[in-house]
Amino acid sequence: MKRILFSAACCGLLSLGACNAPNNDATGNAADTKAPDVTGTATPADNGTDMANSGTPDTAMAANGPTAPHSTDAEFMQSAAHSDQNEIQLSKLALEKGVTGMAKDHANKMITDHTKSTADLKPVAQKTGVTLPTDMDAEHKAIADQMRSLSGKELEAKFMQQMLLDHQKTVNTMVAHQKMTQDATLQGFITKTLPVVQAHLAMFKQHSGSM
């Protein structure tokens, strides 16, 4: 009788162990299932990072320009001088090719205001031993070549659109670098010049679409 009861007890324990084994496996499988879910959750974030480097955001960046400061004050000043030369020389080219009306008025204003900007920047650069460029950058030399092949309304539209793009980039860069630089003289230059460039940007935003 004792043997029968002992055998029955053993069978019961084995049955209980067999019942519990799937539950442990299920729990383990559930943990395994959660791991891919965590990876899956991270995937959209990774995709978002990839999208930031995709063509669409790059296009937006091209339209809006850089939003980070230059790494050094010297780099910023050289970039600012290039920007002045870009606007001055493209404006002179537009005038040489006979732009009229609003485009002509804006070109003359660009020459006057950006010549003054460079004049204001020179003593700041000299104080720190920075040599400013006196010509357009390579990108704008190529743009000048494009403009030489245009005339009439096509030329005027190209000029106005380029001025809009350039001034947006310059505003973004000045705003960013003003927050970064520790040079009080350079901050003063940006404080004085930024409102002029912002006024140019507002003007081109208002008028470029009507060309």
Side-chain angles (χ1 to χ4, degrees):
M1 184 66 177
K2 289 180 179 180
R3 289 181 180 180
I4 294 171
L5 291 173
F6 179 77
S7 299
C10 288
C11 290
L13 289 171
L14 290 173
S15 298
L16 180 60
C19 291
N20 288 338
N23 289 338
N24 290 337
D25 291 343
T27 304
N29 290 340
D32 292 342
T33 303
K34 288 179 181 178
D37 286 344
V38 172
T39 304
T41 302
T43 301
D46 292 342
N47 288 342
T49 302
D50 292 341
M51 287 177 65
N53 295 323
S54 66
T56 301
D58 285 347
T59 302
M61 179 58 81
N64 296 326
T67 55
H70 287 293
S71 57
T72 65
D73 288 343
E75 186 180 332
F76 168 80
M77 286 187 276
Q78 290 167 341
S79 175
H82 264 313
S83 294
D84 284 338
Q85 289 303 313
N86 295 340
E87 316 313 357
I88 291 168
Q89 295 192 37
L90 290 184
S91 294
K92 286 181 176 179
L93 175 59
L95 293 173
E96 289 170 6
K97 290 185 65 66
V99 294
T100 60
M102 187 186 302
K104 180 179 179 180
D105 293 341
H106 290 355
N108 282 317
K109 184 171 182 59
M110 293 306 100
I111 294 169
T112 299
D113 290 354
H114 285 281
T115 298
K116 185 177 187 308
S117 173
T118 295
D120 290 340
L121 182 59
K122 279 182 178 178
V124 183
Q126 289 171 351
K127 178 182 175 183
T128 53
V130 175
T131 300
L132 299 178
T134 57
D135 200 358
M136 292 186 288
D137 57 35
E139 177 188 357
H140 285 78
K141 288 179 181 179
I143 291 168
D145 288 339
Q146 295 173 7
M147 287 177 57
R148 289 187 184 97
S149 67
L150 302 175
S151 60
K153 295 301 180 184
E154 287 185 349
L155 172 64
E156 292 177 1
K158 171 64 177 176
F159 169 70
M160 296 288 281
Q161 289 166 4
Q162 189 61 48
M163 291 297 104
L164 173 60
L165 178 62
D166 287 352
H167 282 83
Q168 182 65 73
K169 289 181 178 181
T170 301
V171 166
N172 291 346
T173 302
M174 285 184 134
V175 168
H177 200 81
Q178 187 175 37
K179 296 176 182 177
M180 188 275 279
T181 182
Q182 299 299 311
D183 187 322
T185 306
L186 184 56
Q187 285 182 341
F189 165 78
I190 296 174
T191 298
K192 179 180 180 180
T193 308
L194 180 57
V196 177
V197 181
Q198 288 172 325
H200 291 173
L201 176 60
M203 179 178 68
F204 285 115
K205 280 183 176 180
Q206 179 181 357
H207 296 153
S208 291
S210 62
M211 297 302 297

